[in-house]
Amino acid sequence: MCRMKFSWLILLLALPGFSPSAHAGADDALLTSIRKTGEVKVAMGSAPPWMFVSPTGEPKGITVDLMNKVLKGMGLPTLTPVLTAWDAMIPALQARQVDFVAPGLNVTEERCKVLVYSAPTFIMHDALYVLPDNPRQLASYADVARNPDVKLAVVTASTQQAYALSHGIKPEQLVRVTDIQAGAATVTGGRANAFAVGQFSIADPEQKGLHREVDSQSPISVLGVAFRKEDVRFRDAFNEQLNLLRGNGVMKELYAGKGIDWDTLARLTKVSDVMPSCE
């Protein structure tokens, strides 16, 4: 009896196109839904060159290319972008307005209580974006905290907002904005002295009238694709393809020249590698 079952398994594994992960995901609810509708709706913020929507409505950017390669490996269509404010992404996901959320929501213990994340797609410190001559000599959250008259722009509900408040920056010092472009504009327009966001969130800051000061004392932020808890099997299938791209050099090539710590990122094959409390 045992030998017959083992032989049958060997036969299945030998069939073209069969894999245990593909078979396990055959009745996955999200996978079924996507194949029925023929589209993959993804909540996206605007963060060029990583992800943005072109004037013609097409999703573009390095992160978009990465996600589309993963989806292709899963036999699914390229993503359909749903431009969403950062603080509205989790509500949109839970309301099933989108299928998952593009990397942009930093992994935190609190978020892991309501979401499951893919393997890390991105790691970075925070940075302060200031005017080119950095008139207030701001290079860290600590510098802002020491100067109560300094205004710091943060994206609403971001980890940067939480970190600033937990490290002595007063609520009245914060200028809350909806996205990265608005944060940059608060500095160039004089409404804030600095904008706190991930160190790679603004490409070519000098061309936008800004200077980047990386706060090396800030925690390393880890980003990944975010899914609903009940879609963990889809997440696992997504991870399988993502880690293939991590291992075969495709992901490294996409990130070439962008300053990413690839040696560290290459070793992170699941979110619990950096945050053990996240499944």
Side-chain angles (χ1 to χ4, degrees):
M1 185 68 171
C2 292
R3 180 173 295 179
M4 289 177 64
K5 286 184 177 179
F6 182 74
S7 299
W8 179 242
L9 177 60
I10 293 297
L11 177 61
L12 283 175
L13 291 172
L15 291 175
F18 180 88
S19 73
S21 61
H23 184 69
D27 59 352
D28 179 81
L30 178 55
L31 188 62
T32 300
S33 174
I34 289 172
R35 286 182 170 153
K36 183 177 180 180
T37 62
E39 66 175 352
V40 184
K41 294 182 292 184
V42 179
M44 278 178 46
S46 182
W50 306 102
M51 56 182 174
F52 60 97
V53 176
S54 73
T56 58
E58 297 175 290
K60 299 285 186 180
I62 297 164
T63 301
V64 171
D65 291 344
L66 177 63
M67 288 188 290
N68 279 336
K69 288 179 183 297
V70 171
L71 292 171
K72 182 178 179 181
M74 297 174 71
L76 298 175
T78 56
L79 65 85
T80 298
V82 180
L83 276 177
T84 310
W86 299 103
D87 59 342
M89 287 183 173
I90 294 177
L93 181 65
Q94 302 294 35
R96 297 188 173 275
Q97 296 167 358
V98 296
D99 297 314
F100 55 83
V101 177
L105 296 177
N106 293 1
V107 178
T108 67
E109 290 187 355
E110 285 302 309
R111 285 175 178 161
C112 285
K113 292 176 182 177
V114 295
L115 304 172
V116 290
Y117 279 90
S118 72
T121 59
F122 212 79
I123 54 174
M124 60 183 169
H125 282 288
D126 285 350
L128 299 188
Y129 289 85
V130 297
L131 292 176
D133 58 349
N134 196 1
R136 299 300 296 266
Q137 296 300 298
L138 303 172
S140 67
Y141 286 97
D143 291 340
V144 177
R146 282 192 291 266
N147 292 275
D149 59 330
V150 165
K151 297 291 186 182
L152 178 69
V154 292
V155 174
T156 301
S158 65
T159 54
Q160 288 81 22
Q161 176 179 309
Y163 187 79
L165 291 171
S166 69
H167 282 73
I169 297 173
K170 297 177 173 60
E172 57 268 25
Q173 289 182 259
L174 299 183
V175 178
R176 294 167 176 82
V177 298
T178 56
D179 57 32
I180 293 169
Q181 286 70 32
T186 62
V187 178
T188 56
R191 290 179 54 223
N193 304 105
F195 173 42
V197 72
Q199 71 181 96
F200 301 118
S201 297
I202 299 179
D204 303 316
E206 292 77 13
Q207 296 178 15
K208 300 174 176 67
L210 296 168
H211 169 70
R212 178 194 294 125
E213 289 281 354
V214 177
D215 185 352
S216 60
Q217 299 305 308
S218 66
I220 292 178
S221 296
V222 178
L223 285 75
V225 178
F227 302 88
R228 289 178 289 267
K229 284 275 190 179
E230 60 265 34
D231 295 327
V232 65
R233 293 175 65 192
F234 187 94
R235 187 281 308 268
D236 291 345
F238 188 98
N239 263 357
E240 183 176 335
Q241 295 300 319
L242 176 61
N243 286 329
L244 283 175
L245 299 176
R246 190 187 311 271
N248 65 12
V250 171
M251 190 173 174
K252 181 179 181 180
E253 185 176 342
L254 284 173
Y255 288 173
K258 299 301 179 185
I260 301 294
D261 180 1
W262 176 254
D263 289 342
T264 298
L265 187 58
R267 297 194 297 268
L268 305 178
T269 60
K270 55 187 182 299
V271 69
S272 59
D273 288 340
V274 288
M275 196 161 291
S277 62
C278 296
E279 63 177 296

